[in-house]
């Protein structure tokens, strides 16, 4: 039995992948992000929570509402409209997005619903102008096999993407969003909590990613796919790690959350041993500003210009607030996260870490005396404006009370080192209610059968087939698929030229051109076919291909043949090449005598430059080799 079995680890995923459709989910705006530095218009919103269909208010929404933030939105004429601004009702659901979602559902062995209903999910963090996100259940009861066991798929939904954040963070009064991303179709895939180890979690994520990419109907690039990871252990609680994007960090995220929950359980047990009860943490706050009137602490001095220093005693918490629960994070960091979120303060001080930050031992002793602290107590102080400091202290009290129970349920933000920090309470079912502006969509059995008959080949299967049929290695096959050039490769691979040249052109050469700043999107499938035909007809050498493609990116109206003429690099015959190579060999005879056949490499560079790459490199090498041998 592994340590994860002993701990009762359970992990589930929610994947959010943008679909590469022509239009957004509920309007006809394109799904391209704006590249403008300045918006065409802006608008401002203040968002408030509403009750669900059961008459309840979601706790996560309530916490966001208490922050009283202002949200400003940037709009652009080319990809936003009145629907994103919440000034016009949504249009009917995008059928292209729905059918892509159905295709993925079938690849996940899921059961597609008979009728699609759209719901509103309350979200008032400003990421949507309406205060809710539209979401529709498409399929349920799917499954995926991994080498560590079967993982169930609880549900597959079609949602609208949120706004793109431009400016703002915890503590800021105003947050700025861009409307260009709002409404892009998003597929959500939620698994059952069947994952039992970190490695199984990574393998599952890789498999889901493969299935999504296999459709060739999803967007690619940073930010187009995100994972929410739900993690719990038997004595802990479920937390949601929100928006994890780094696939290679998935195992680390899970491992570090297990570590965090284990340490929090240890803290709970230590508090129990000390006899600390939740009700003893009464949240009594005391103004201790007078103790720091002559302080050397720069942080407190700055805060006291228009603020106060407030303190509270955490009974029995000595040594525990400073206890490390993750790399570079302590229980005190958790308290600080809550304080920052609730009060917008810069952070907290606590006596487990003092004296420090300019706060002297004498000030610490005065502080303990002022609050009648006992040896096992810890004191938390916050220096800021009175209202902000009070709200922050309330959050500290609440988090300290939760420590007596163990691990609180919450949504957390992933950090670059694999750790996490607090975002908000874990949302519940109270945030859902029906969408009344969008009619239901009936799913016909005929359409399901049609999609099922045309399911795409999975990437792993395609790699094996390309290897077998075209005698290329795994890496070449993977690169062809990664660059979405499979169909073009298969159409041109029948030509009388080595497949490796085609692979190299469609992958490596294009990447090199892009890194040099060339817009390779201007090179069409027709251009590639024409170029390979010229190569097959021996009208160009393979070395000239990059120059042809560069010319086409600048003049996309040209054919490949016209691009060759423009570069002036049509193939020369072997005798012309031999004459040029002989001249070079004669000029470098002394060098050849000195280096022998070792002169071949250095002279090849001179030869290809002189011939302007108008002859195949292998042919030039053979001729040069003959000329060198004749002189030895």
């Amino acid at each position: 039995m592994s340590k994860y079995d002993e701990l009762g680890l359970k992990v589930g995923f929610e994947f959010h992948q943008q679909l590469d459709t022509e239009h957004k989910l509920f309007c006809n705006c394109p799904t391209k992000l704006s590249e403008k530095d300045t918006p065409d218009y802006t608008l401002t919103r203040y968002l408030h929570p509403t009750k669900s269909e059961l008459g309840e208010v979601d706790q996560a929404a309530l916490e966001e509402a208490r922050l009283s933030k202002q949200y400003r939105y940037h709009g652009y004429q080319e990809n936003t409209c009145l629907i994103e601004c919440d000034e016009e009702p949504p249009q009917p659901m995008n059928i292209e997005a729905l059918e892509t979602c159905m295709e993925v559902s079938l690849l996940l062995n899921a059961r597609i619903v008979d009728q699609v209903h759209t719901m509103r999910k309350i979200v008032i963090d400003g990421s949507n102008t309406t205060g809710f996100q539209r979401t529709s259940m498409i399929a349920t009861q799917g499954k995926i096999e991994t080498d560590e066991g079967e993982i169930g798929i609880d549900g597959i939904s079609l949602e609208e993407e949120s706004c793109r954040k431009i400016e703002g963070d915890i503590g800021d009064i105003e947050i700025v969003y861009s409307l260009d991303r709002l409404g892009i179709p998003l597929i959500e895939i939620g698994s059952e909590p069947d994952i039992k180890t970190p490695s199984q979690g990574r393998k599952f994520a890789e498999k889901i990613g493969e299935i999504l990419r296999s459709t060739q109907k999803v967007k690619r690039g940073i930010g187009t796919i995100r994972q929410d990871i739900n993690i719990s252990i038997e004595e802990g609680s479920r937390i949601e790690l929100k928006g994890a994007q780094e696939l290679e960090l998935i195992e680390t995220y899970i491992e570090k959350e297990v570590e965090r929950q284990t340490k929090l359980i240890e803290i709970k047990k230590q508090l129990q041993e000390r006899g600390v009860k939740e009700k003893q943490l009464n949240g009594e706050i005391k103004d201790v500003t007078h103790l720091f009137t002559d302080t050397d602490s720069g942080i407190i001095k700055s805060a006291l210009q228009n603020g106060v220093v407030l303190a509270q005693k955490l009974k029995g918490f000595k040594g525990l607030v400073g206890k490390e629960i993750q790399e570079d994070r302590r229980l005190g960091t958790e308290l600080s996260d809550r304080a920052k979120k609730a009060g917008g303060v810069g952070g907290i001080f606590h006596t487990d870490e003092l004296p420090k930050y300019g706060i002297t031992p004498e000030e610490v002793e005065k502080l303990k005396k002022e609050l009648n602290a006992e040896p096992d107590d810890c004191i938390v102080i916050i220096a800021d404006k009175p209202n902000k400091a009070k709200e922050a202290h309330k959050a500290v009290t609440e988090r300290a009370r939760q420590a007596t129970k163990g691990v609180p349920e919450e949504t957390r933000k992933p950090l670059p080192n694999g750790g996490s920090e607090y975002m908000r309470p874990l949302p519940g079912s109270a945030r859902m209610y029906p969408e009344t502006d969008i009619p239901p969509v009936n799913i016909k059995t005929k359409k399901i059968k049609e999609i099922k008959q045309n399911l795409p080949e999975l990437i792993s299967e395609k790699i094996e087939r390309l290897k077998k049929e075209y005698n290329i290695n795994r890496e070449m096959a993977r690169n062809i698929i990664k660059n979405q050039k499979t169909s073009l490769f298969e159409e041109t691979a029948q030509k009388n030229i080595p497949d490796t040249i085609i692979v190299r052109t469609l992958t490596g050469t294009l990447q090199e051109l892009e890194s040099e700043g060339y817009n390779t999107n201007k090179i069409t499938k027709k251009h590639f076919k024409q170029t390979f035909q010229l190569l097959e007809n021996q009208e160009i050498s393979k070395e000239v291909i990059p120059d042809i493609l560069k010319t086409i990116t600048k003049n996309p109206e040209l054919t490949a043949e016209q691009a060759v003429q423009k570069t002036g690099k049509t193939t020369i015959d072997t005798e012309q090449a031999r004459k040029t190579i002989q001249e070079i060999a004669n000029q470098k005879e002394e060098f050849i005598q000195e280096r022998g056949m070792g002169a071949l490499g250095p002279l090849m560079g001179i030869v290809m430059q002189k011939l302007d790459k108008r002859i195949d490199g292998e042919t030039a090498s053979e001729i040069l080799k003959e000329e060198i041998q004749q002189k030895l």
Side-chain angles (χ1 to χ4, degrees):
M1 179 180 287
S2 73
K3 74 170 185 177
Y4 296 111
D5 290 327
E6 293 174 358
L7 289 169
L9 175 64
K10 290 184 179 180
V11 179
F13 278 78
E14 290 177 14
F15 295 89
H16 302 86
Q17 168 71 66
Q18 292 178 9
L19 303 183
D20 195 17
T21 55
E22 184 176 357
H23 302 298
K24 292 185 178 180
L25 190 54
F26 295 113
C27 72
N28 288 323
C29 292
T31 61
K32 303 291 184 184
L33 299 183
S34 178
E35 296 180 358
K36 291 181 179 178
D37 294 327
T38 305
D40 295 318
Y41 61 90
T42 64
L43 55 101
T44 300
R45 290 283 188 274
Y46 297 90
L47 302 177
H48 307 280
T50 57
K51 292 182 179 180
S52 71
E53 60 182 331
L54 300 177
E56 300 171 346
V57 178
D58 180 60
Q59 289 302 309
L62 271 178
E63 178 163 311
E64 291 291 345
R66 290 193 191 105
L67 303 179
S68 301
K69 291 185 182 293
Q70 171 180 295
Y71 301 103
R72 184 155 52 91
Y73 300 94
H74 288 183
Y76 308 90
Q77 296 292 351
E78 69 271 18
N79 53 22
T80 61
C81 65
L82 291 174
I83 292 173
E84 284 93 342
C85 300
D86 193 30
E87 297 292 343
E88 183 179 299
Q91 296 175 9
M93 182 180 289
N94 182 333
I95 298 303
E96 180 190 2
L98 174 59
E99 291 183 359
T100 297
C101 204
M102 291 167 63
E103 182 177 304
V104 173
S105 299
L106 292 171
L107 288 170
L108 292 170
N109 307 296
R111 179 180 176 275
I112 296 173
V113 299
D114 299 324
Q115 192 176 62
V116 176
H117 292 265
T118 302
M119 299 288 287
R120 293 178 176 180
K121 185 191 298 181
I122 298 171
V123 181
I124 61 166
D125 61 357
S127 60
N128 199 310
T129 51
T130 58
F132 57 80
Q133 178 190 38
R134 296 181 178 94
T135 180
S136 308
M137 179 66 74
I138 306 300
T140 60
Q141 301 174 21
K143 62 181 179 180
I144 279 185
E145 290 291 340
T146 73
D147 57 11
E148 295 186 49
E150 182 180 286
I151 299 170
I153 303 297
D154 178 54
I156 299 151
S157 301
L158 182 58
E159 301 182 333
E160 56 184 356
E161 176 65 288
S162 59
C163 295
R164 182 164 56 96
K165 185 183 281 190
I166 299 174
E167 297 175 13
D169 208 340
I170 291 175
D172 293 341
I173 297 299
E174 182 180 74
I175 307 293
V176 182
Y177 286 99
S178 172
L179 293 174
D180 56 357
R181 196 178 75 173
L182 179 60
I184 291 177
L186 197 70
I187 184 172
E188 180 189 73
I189 301 169
S191 82
E192 298 284 0
D194 294 337
I195 297 163
K196 306 301 182 187
T197 68
S199 62
Q200 188 182 21
R202 176 182 53 77
K203 292 170 186 174
F204 176 64
E206 288 173 347
K207 186 67 176 178
I208 292 290
E210 178 196 353
I211 288 172
L212 290 168
R213 292 192 303 275
S214 294
T215 66
Q216 296 187 31
K217 297 175 183 177
V218 299
K219 290 188 180 292
R220 305 288 296 275
I222 296 173
T224 58
I225 183 170
R226 304 182 295 279
Q227 292 96 208
D228 298 342
I229 313 174
N230 292 281
I231 308 167
S232 69
I233 59 176
E234 190 170 337
E235 292 186 57
S237 298
R238 179 171 74 91
I239 68 97
E240 178 186 46
L241 199 60
K242 189 76 174 176
Q245 294 190 39
E246 304 294 336
L247 184 64
E248 61 272 17
L249 279 178
I250 282 177
E251 288 187 63
T252 306
Y253 288 140
I254 297 171
E255 290 165 356
K256 290 201 171 186
E257 178 56 28
V258 169
E259 176 190 14
R260 190 184 75 91
Q261 294 204 19
T262 302
K263 295 288 180 62
L264 288 175
I265 292 166
E266 289 175 5
I267 288 173
K268 178 190 79 169
K269 291 177 179 177
Q270 286 178 280
L271 288 170
Q272 289 174 342
E273 290 170 2
R274 296 178 184 183
V276 178
K277 306 291 185 184
E278 180 185 357
K279 63 183 179 181
Q280 293 174 304
L281 302 168
N282 56 21
E284 183 180 344
I285 301 167
K286 192 162 187 177
D287 189 330
V288 293
T289 306
H290 61 283
L291 299 180
F292 296 93
T293 51
D294 297 319
T295 187
D296 292 329
S297 171
I299 299 173
I300 293 181
K301 274 183 181 179
S302 177
L304 288 182
Q305 291 179 10
N306 56 4
V308 295
V309 181
L310 302 183
Q312 71 167 302
K313 178 175 64 178
L314 299 182
K315 183 174 178 58
F317 272 75
K318 182 181 179 181
L320 301 181
V321 177
K323 182 181 176 69
E324 187 172 71
I325 56 175
Q326 270 185 348
E327 182 184 357
D328 296 327
R329 290 185 62 82
R330 293 163 172 74
L331 178 59
T333 320
E334 302 271 299
L335 301 180
S336 181
D337 287 346
R338 296 291 186 95
K340 290 175 182 177
K341 178 81 173 180
V345 298
I348 68 171
F349 298 107
H350 56 83
T351 50
D352 276 4
E353 63 179 354
L354 300 177
K356 202 176 181 181
Y357 311 113
I359 299 174
T360 65
E362 292 75 20
E363 288 170 329
V364 174
E365 288 306 312
K366 289 179 182 178
L367 185 63
K368 290 179 179 179
K369 185 176 180 180
E370 184 78 15
L371 273 75
N372 297 316
E374 297 179 5
D376 272 348
D377 297 341
C378 180
I379 297 172
V380 174
I381 62 174
I382 299 174
D384 213 306
K385 294 178 181 177
N387 288 341
K388 293 175 71 175
K390 285 177 183 176
E391 288 301 314
H393 263 298
K394 288 178 185 178
V396 168
T397 304
E398 176 61 25
R399 182 62 186 86
R401 287 171 177 166
Q402 290 172 345
T404 65
K405 300 176 182 178
V407 184
E409 290 190 340
E410 56 193 19
T411 300
R412 299 181 65 82
K413 175 184 175 181
L415 298 174
N417 69 350
S420 63
E421 65 182 15
Y422 174 78
M423 285 181 68
R424 56 177 176 263
L426 197 64
S429 58
R431 63 176 179 159
M432 299 286 282
Y433 63 103
E435 167 61 80
T436 54
D437 290 332
I438 299 171
V441 179
N442 293 316
I443 303 293
K444 296 181 179 179
T445 304
K446 181 181 178 182
K447 174 55 70 174
I448 295 175
K449 288 181 179 178
E450 179 187 319
I451 294 173
K452 197 168 188 177
Q453 288 171 356
N454 294 282
L455 289 177
E457 185 179 25
L458 292 182
I459 289 173
S460 56
E461 297 168 352
K462 192 178 292 185
I463 287 173
E464 294 305 316
R465 181 176 63 78
L466 292 179
K467 280 174 56 187
K468 183 177 180 181
E469 291 184 13
Y470 299 99
N471 196 30
I472 58 176
N473 62 40
R474 176 178 294 275
E475 192 59 31
M476 286 182 173
R478 192 188 302 276
N479 284 337
I480 283 290
I481 295 166
K482 181 180 178 181
N483 287 273
Q484 299 185 346
K485 294 289 189 292
T486 307
S487 61
L488 178 57
F489 170 74
E490 295 199 79
E491 289 174 30
T492 54
Q494 308 301 327
K495 294 184 178 295
N496 189 29
I497 53 178
D499 292 339
T500 52
I501 294 177
I502 299 174
V503 174
R504 168 67 184 163
T505 301
L506 298 180
T507 58
T509 300
L510 287 185
Q511 290 175 357
E512 289 165 8
L513 295 187
E514 287 167 2
S515 67
E516 293 174 23
Y518 291 94
N519 184 0
T520 60
N521 291 326
K522 294 184 178 181
I523 307 171
T524 66
K525 182 182 285 190
K526 189 175 182 180
H527 285 134
F528 283 114
K529 288 184 176 181
Q530 291 170 348
T531 302
F532 292 136
Q533 188 63 56
L534 291 171
L535 184 62
E536 184 178 25
N537 295 343
Q538 298 184 354
E539 295 177 50
I540 60 170
S541 69
K542 67 178 185 297
E543 286 78 11
V544 174
I545 291 176
D547 297 311
I548 296 172
L549 299 181
K550 287 178 183 178
T551 302
I552 290 172
T553 63
K554 295 178 180 178
N555 307 275
E557 73 282 358
L558 297 180
T559 64
E561 186 174 2
Q562 290 169 333
V564 173
Q565 296 298 329
K566 192 173 181 66
T567 63
K569 293 185 178 181
T570 52
T571 303
I572 60 174
D573 62 42
T574 304
E575 289 309 310
Q576 283 181 281
R578 185 179 294 278
K579 185 177 179 181
T580 300
I581 293 171
Q582 284 175 342
E583 291 175 358
I584 293 171
N586 290 335
Q587 293 170 3
K588 299 293 183 179
E589 185 168 356
E590 185 177 334
F591 179 72
I592 291 171
Q593 294 296 330
E594 180 184 329
R595 299 286 292 272
M597 292 307 296
L600 180 64
L603 292 183
M604 265 300 293
I606 298 173
V607 166
M608 293 306 290
Q609 184 177 11
K610 187 73 173 178
L611 294 173
D612 202 16
K613 297 185 283 189
R614 295 174 65 189
I615 188 171
D616 184 80
E618 283 81 0
T619 303
S621 179
E622 285 300 318
I623 296 173
L624 179 58
K625 191 182 295 183
E626 292 172 10
E627 294 299 322
I628 291 174
Q629 288 171 341
Q630 287 178 14
K631 294 188 179 299
L632 293 177

